[in-house]
Amino acid sequence: MQGDHSPRLAVYPGSFDPLTNGHVDIIQRGARLFDRIVIALLVNPDKSALFSVAERAEMAREAFVGQPNVEVDTFDGLLVDYARRRRANVIVRGLRAISDFEYEMQMALMNRRLSAELETVFMMPAEPYTYVSSRLVKEVFALGGSVAGLVPEVVATRLAAKHGLGAVSV
């Protein structure tokens, strides 16, 4: 629509348990593409998480402190309903590999069916993060491996605290 200069709000949904540098990369790049981007943490009581929703939100806020166009929020229920309430124009989703594509395409098509005015934009993380997932980070850390360079410093510190370790380097 020509002449429409309404702010472009993007929603980047996920569990972010924990937030990885791959997520951070997509959020930072999304913040350059859109006027505002909301990190929308899904509240899913059926899923057992390492960090509570409140802890995940706090870590995300700390990781993006000083970036006023990045917001952290929580939601439950349908993503399209949340996006509609927030007056979002776009859903941002990350694609790491071909294995992500089929699931993400199905979700994007269902979201389009439920809310035709909402677009899904797929972004690939920077090359160093294409293999990084929250699940792998938790697994590597739990087995004593280094997560240096894979997560923001605040996440590494919280992981160490969860496992009763001292400070870890990132």
Side-chain angles (χ1 to χ4, degrees):
M1 183 147 99
Q2 266 188 333
D4 182 13
H5 296 293
S6 59
R8 300 299 259 171
L9 174 63
V11 172
Y12 183 31
S15 59
F16 305 103
D17 184 41
L19 183 73
T20 70
N21 283 343
H23 297 132
V24 169
D25 175 63
I26 287 174
I27 294 161
Q28 288 175 332
R29 290 176 25 238
R32 289 194 304 265
L33 291 173
F34 304 103
D35 297 312
R36 289 183 23 242
I37 188 165
V38 177
I39 304 166
L41 295 156
L42 175 63
V43 177
N44 185 350
D46 297 333
K47 195 173 180 183
S48 66
L50 178 60
F51 292 102
S52 71
V53 173
E55 289 172 313
R56 287 179 270 154
E58 191 177 309
M59 286 185 284
R61 285 186 186 102
E62 189 173 324
F64 292 96
V65 72
Q67 292 187 255
N69 66 332
V70 176
E71 180 186 337
V72 179
D73 196 8
T74 61
F75 78 100
D76 60 4
L78 285 174
L79 174 59
V80 294
D81 291 340
Y82 173 76
R84 194 175 291 124
R85 283 193 308 273
R86 292 302 309 263
R87 300 187 195 288
N89 314 92
V90 174
I91 296 170
V92 171
R93 296 295 295 163
L95 286 178
R96 291 175 304 226
I98 295 294
S99 56
D100 291 342
F101 182 75
E102 187 172 359
Y103 172 78
E104 293 295 344
M105 184 182 75
Q106 289 174 337
M107 291 300 295
L109 292 172
M110 180 57 75
N111 287 337
R112 183 184 299 157
R113 178 179 171 84
L114 296 171
S115 182
E117 70 277 2
L118 195 58
E119 283 297 331
T120 300
V121 172
F122 295 108
M123 296 179 71
M124 295 177 293
E127 186 180 357
Y129 309 121
T130 55
Y131 65 93
V132 178
S133 70
S134 295
R135 181 186 55 78
L136 275 177
V137 165
K138 287 187 287 194
E139 192 173 316
V140 166
F141 193 83
L143 295 172
S146 171
V147 295
L150 303 178
V151 296
E153 189 173 334
V154 61
V155 173
T157 300
R158 293 287 186 96
L159 280 167
K162 273 256 187 239
H163 292 308
L165 303 173
V168 287
S169 59
V170 289

